[in-house]
Amino acid sequence: MSITQQLSTKHLLGIKYLTSEDIHLIFETADSFKEVINRPIKKVPSLRDITIVNLFFEDSTRTRISFELAEKRLSADVLNFSASSSSVKKGETLLDTVNNILSMKVDMVVMRHPAPGAPHFLARHIDANIINAGDGTHEHPTQALLDAYSIREKLGTLEGKKVAIFGDILHSRVALSNIFCLKKLGAEVIVCGPPTLIPKHIHELGIGVEYNVRKALEWCDVANILRIQLERQDIKYFPSLREYAQYFGINKALLDSLDKPIVIMHPGPINRGVEITSDVADSEHSIILQQVENGVAVRMAVLYLLAARG
Ligand code: CP
């Protein structure tokens, strides 16, 4: 595979720093890789001799496996690092950890970290390409790219489409990256959730806010339903999960009462019976597993384009 265009950036720190041309280039490149990973031989030599380390300071299932698979499909050499079984436990700093790893001639770093801005900090101090795999409550750019790519695949375009993001917007890096990405691609965006879980100044991002789930569902073409992030909540934002499910959960009866189909998305992990019922998550309107499948092709595209950028 060869490309003539380049990304405008050496790192993928957030969707905020991408142009709409960058996003379209990632999608067109992902289209080619999606074709590759559906062949009997799913591997291409594009990143042979490139070494990538996956640094995970926070738990992950989808993102970690998806990056590792994307790297292996591109024939990169892959190192996996988990903070919980490393010398971070003995007090080693992030910069020391990364510099030690880079002295082993690593070209790219994929990092998930609980601190917002941690990948930006690394990008200021080291030469390798950095990919943000989620930094605290800040951004999760590859999740937003695979979400938008999945909507494009389902509806043909993002331009003019109405996307509602439901749930714990306050603690969600997926929400912020999705808002940046969807807006850059011409979609209309609203968020919906309890007032305590909607950031006060969110309308400054050029989006709407709706507190009534039915009204938000009636408005949208796509519902992206997010998890309540209890692990990031140090105070109570709503009385109980049961009450949350009753007032803000999305169930089949609610969807069936609308007179139109809606594309159902969720970045995972799902809390079944809280923000979404199983019969919605597993319904014919759900593209949740297509999101996961597309994540590999999108991450292959990001890795390939950043490696080409050098
Ligand atoms: N969507 C997502 O980031 O899932 P993981 O936390 O399992 O990687």
Side-chain angles (χ1 to χ4, degrees):
M1 185 171 162
S2 73
I3 47 156
T4 49
Q5 283 175 275
Q6 277 203 336
L7 291 177
S8 65
T9 171
K10 173 186 161 93
H11 309 289
L12 178 57
L13 300 178
I15 300 290
K16 186 177 178 182
Y17 311 104
L18 295 182
T19 64
S20 57
E21 289 77 20
D22 287 331
I23 299 172
H24 287 298
L25 176 60
I26 292 167
F27 287 178
E28 281 150 28
T29 311
D31 288 341
S32 303
F33 284 128
K34 187 151 182 184
E35 194 263 315
V36 167
I37 58 182
N38 283 305
R39 289 182 199 157
I41 296 170
K42 299 172 173 54
K43 217 165 164 166
V44 286
S46 310
L47 295 195
R48 206 166 46 204
D49 298 328
I50 298 284
T51 304
I52 305 175
V53 62
N54 300 314
L55 291 179
F56 277 72
F57 292 84
E58 240 189 26
D59 295 343
S60 169
T61 299
R62 279 146 293 272
T63 311
R64 185 174 182 146
I65 290 175
S66 180
F67 266 113
E68 187 172 346
L69 195 55
E71 290 152 5
K72 288 181 171 166
R73 297 275 191 253
L74 292 166
S75 305
D77 293 320
V78 180
L79 303 169
N80 286 309
F81 167 97
S82 174
S84 58
S85 56
S86 74
S87 292
V88 169
K89 287 271 185 202
K90 302 174 198 162
E92 192 165 33
T93 66
L94 173 60
L95 196 53
D96 280 341
T97 302
V98 174
N99 273 330
N100 275 274
I101 293 168
L102 291 184
S103 68
M104 300 178 217
K105 310 292 176 224
V106 167
D107 302 292
M108 302 177 88
V109 176
V110 174
M111 185 170 78
R112 171 168 288 190
H113 199 282
H120 306 64
F121 170 78
L122 271 197
R124 285 196 296 276
H125 287 91
I126 64 174
D127 267 346
N129 306 95
I130 313 290
I131 300 174
N132 180 2
D135 60 328
T137 56
H138 184 214
E139 279 225 43
H140 190 350
T142 56
Q143 181 68 47
L145 289 168
L146 74 89
D147 289 345
Y149 183 85
S150 302
I151 298 172
R152 168 184 175 266
E153 184 176 70
K154 185 76 182 172
L155 300 180
T157 180
L158 274 292
E159 191 71 47
K161 298 299 180 218
K162 294 177 174 173
V163 182
I165 305 172
F166 292 86
D168 184 357
I169 312 299
L170 186 66
H171 299 98
S172 175
R173 54 195 173 208
V174 174
L176 186 61
S177 286
N178 259 269
I179 291 166
F180 285 141
C181 193
L182 294 165
K183 295 279 295 170
K184 282 176 198 255
L185 296 175
E188 288 183 61
V189 184
I190 65 168
V191 291
C192 178
T196 49
L197 290 175
I198 306 279
K200 280 193 181 67
H201 301 290
I202 195 142
H203 58 275
E204 289 173 11
L205 297 174
I207 63 165
V209 179
E210 173 58 68
Y211 299 109
N212 183 293
V213 171
R214 168 174 285 282
K215 284 188 185 161
L217 287 170
E218 282 169 351
W219 174 85
C220 71
D221 303 305
V222 177
N224 195 355
I225 303 160
L226 308 181
R227 180 174 67 90
I228 294 294
Q229 301 203 27
L230 289 175
E231 75 277 19
R232 297 193 202 280
Q233 298 181 9
D234 46 4
I235 58 168
K236 266 186 155 329
Y237 289 86
F238 50 88
S240 69
L241 286 178
R242 199 163 141 226
E243 193 165 316
Y244 182 87
Q246 187 178 346
Y247 290 102
F248 292 97
I250 296 182
N251 59 51
K252 192 77 169 37
L254 189 50
L255 284 191
D256 287 347
S257 70
L258 307 171
D259 60 357
K260 58 167 190 179
I262 289 174
V263 179
I264 298 292
M265 304 177 70
H266 194 304
I270 297 174
N271 283 326
R272 287 175 183 263
V274 180
E275 70 272 6
I276 187 170
T277 54
S278 284
D279 50 9
V280 174
D282 305 330
S283 72
E284 72 275 20
H285 303 301
S286 164
I287 60 165
I288 294 171
L289 292 179
Q290 285 96 310
Q291 289 174 255
V292 178
E293 181 187 339
N294 287 334
V296 179
V298 167
R299 289 182 173 113
M300 285 173 82
V302 167
L303 292 162
Y304 176 80
L305 290 166
L306 287 179
R309 183 77 171 54

